[in-house]
Amino acid sequence: MAASILAVRGSKGLFLVNGPPSYQPHEGFHSTSADVKTCQTLMSVSVNDGKFLAWANTEQVFVVEVTTGKVVFEANAPKVAALLLSPGGSYLAAWQRHVACTIPGGLPNMHVWDVKNGKKLKELVQKKQILWCPQFTADEKVCARMASQEVHFFEDGNFETIAKKMHIQKVVDFSLSPVNKPPYHCAAYVPGTKGQPSFVRLYKYPYFEGQQSIVASKSFFKADRVSFFWNRKGTAVLVMAVVDVDSGNSSYYGEQKLYYLDAEGTSVAVSLSKNGPVYSVEWSPSSTEFCAIFGFMPAKAALFNTKCETILDFGEGSRNMISFSPFGNNILLARKVATASIFHERERRLFSGLLNP
């Protein structure tokens, strides 16, 4: 197993630290740009393998190869407020706060670079930070970004040409399946208005035209926003509909409902056996099961199959987070900085309980 490396911003700036058992500073990482006076708490890691780390100071953006500590990319970009590295570390996106000026439309404040050759591939105006972030498939073949009532898609790193548009009236959010090969799927959310329900539609890329292109659709009332949770294979997505303020004033967390859509056309509400917030949802690495923690404390936890049937009830407990082991055979149910229980998924039994006083 490769040694873990931690990125830390402390009183002396940004630095890399080797993980256990040494916890010593990374000898290969030396950067004067990471001093405490200029370094911001803006970091992004390539999600496929953690090979690259990006960060920004008040004047520039950087990408470092984590194992060697070598800076492989840098560019001038003052006052960056948000960063994103693509899954494989090939592309870096940065967002700056929009500044009003006399130029029609304003100055470009969103930028995309090719990390390998340092070339800027695209710059455009993105006024709001909400949903500024582009989304990539795991193989980086497709990239998508939110535009005005449209989702724009780019292919193979060509950000000058919009390869495809998804136009849905009043669409406000979307999610691209994070898979490393076709077929790719995309879910789009449209909020309800004037007594009409909200809905989420699932499409197969690049087919977005007409009703016949809708793979699955689910409508629902009471939603201020949604969160998407894809399985690893990109064949199913869980949608958590969130109302920020609980109308009954019974929960600080507002109200949440969970819905399931998949590439076979299934769309159902996930039936939860206890009323209250949904604290956490996670897919098993197998993509055939998911776990949820829900209900007023002490919260219930349960494992579901892709028919949204409960196949294992973990009972009630003080917990609000879930983590599967890499092979999906163990499930950690925990409460942050408190208790934790580890279940063996196949044997359906608890084999460890932990307490952090």
Side-chain angles (χ1 to χ4, degrees), residues 7 19 24-25 64 78 133 172 211 220 241 348:
Q24 297 300 310
V64 63
C133 194
V172 298
Q211 292 293 314
F220 44 86
R348 305 292 197 261

Side-chain angles (χ1 to χ4, degrees), residues 80-97:
V80 166
L83 284 173
L84 173 78
L85 261 178
S86 62
S90 300
Y91 308 104
L92 175 67
W95 182 86
Q96 302 160 314
R97 289 181 176 82

Side-chain angles (χ1 to χ4, degrees), residues 164-167 203 206-214:
K164 195 69 179 179
K165 293 182 180 181
M166 176 199 287
H167 180 78
Y203 295 88
Y207 308 108
F208 304 126
E209 304 299 329
Q211 292 293 314
Q212 71 280 2
S213 65
I214 301 174

Side-chain angles (χ1 to χ4, degrees), residues 87-355:
S90 300
Y91 308 104
L92 175 67
W95 182 86
Q96 302 160 314
R97 289 181 176 82
H98 183 260
V99 178
C101 63
T102 57
I103 300 174
L107 291 171
N109 65 317
M110 177 179 166
H111 313 273
V112 181
W113 293 272
D114 186 314
V115 172
K116 292 181 181 179
N117 60 27
K119 180 181 178 181
K120 182 179 286 190
L121 302 176
K122 187 69 174 178
E123 61 178 16
L124 47 87
V125 175
Q126 176 73 30
K127 292 185 178 180
K128 296 182 179 180
Q129 187 172 5
I130 297 175
L131 299 177
W132 81 272
C133 194
Q135 297 181 26
F136 290 85
T137 55
D139 59 5
E140 301 180 335
K141 294 292 185 181
V142 179
C143 174
R145 64 170 294 266
M146 193 74 205
S148 178
Q149 294 192 14
E150 288 184 338
V151 181
H152 293 175
F153 295 84
F154 307 89
E155 296 181 350
D156 298 319
N158 181 5
F159 292 91
E160 290 299 325
T161 302
I162 299 174
K164 195 69 179 179
K165 293 182 180 181
M166 176 199 287
H167 180 78
I168 304 175
Q169 190 174 11
K170 298 181 181 179
V171 62
V172 298
D173 200 359
F174 78 100
S175 182
L176 185 61
S177 60
V179 292
N180 58 11
K181 63 180 180 179
Y184 309 115
H185 289 88
C186 186
Y189 166 63
V190 175
T193 56
K194 297 181 180 179
Q196 297 299 312
S198 305
F199 61 84
V200 170
R201 290 176 180 170
L202 183 64
Y203 295 88
K204 180 180 178 180
Y205 181 82
Y207 308 108
F208 304 126
E209 304 299 329
Q211 292 293 314
Q212 71 280 2
S213 65
I214 301 174
V215 176
S217 179
K218 186 62 183 175
S219 59
F220 44 86
F221 289 94
K222 298 181 71 174
D224 293 324
R225 53 189 171 86
V226 297
S227 297
F228 299 95
F229 303 88
W230 288 95
N231 67 0
R232 182 173 292 183
K233 294 180 179 179
T235 55
V237 61
L238 292 165
V239 179
M240 187 189 298
V242 179
V243 178
D244 292 324
V245 179
D246 181 8
S247 58
N249 199 31
S250 57
S251 173
Y252 170 82
Y253 297 96
E255 298 180 62
Q256 298 85 27
K257 298 293 183 182
L258 200 59
Y259 303 94
Y260 169 93
L261 297 89
D262 68 22
E264 301 298 321
T266 304
S267 60
V268 297
V270 180
S271 179
L272 303 177
S273 59
K274 187 175 184 179
N275 292 329
V278 179
Y279 302 99
S280 184
V281 178
E282 292 290 338
W283 278 96
S284 165
S286 68
S287 293
T288 60
E289 299 167 339
F290 63 91
C291 187
I293 298 177
F294 53 91
F296 296 110
M297 289 291 177
K300 289 198 71 173
L303 189 68
F304 300 83
N305 60 21
T306 51
K307 295 180 181 179
C308 297
E309 300 169 333
T310 301
I311 57 176
L312 183 58
D313 190 329
F314 297 108
E316 296 184 344
S318 180
R319 52 213 178 188
N320 57 11
M321 62 178 294
I322 305 163
S323 181
F324 280 87
S325 62
F327 298 103
N329 58 323
N330 297 322
I331 307 171
L332 173 71
L333 304 176
R335 183 177 180 181
K336 296 178 181 178
V337 301
T339 59
S341 301
I342 302 175
F343 291 84
H344 196 287
E345 191 273 336
R346 291 183 181 177
E347 297 182 9
R348 305 292 197 261
R349 66 180 177 88
L350 172 70
F351 70 87
S352 181
L354 307 173
L355 175 63

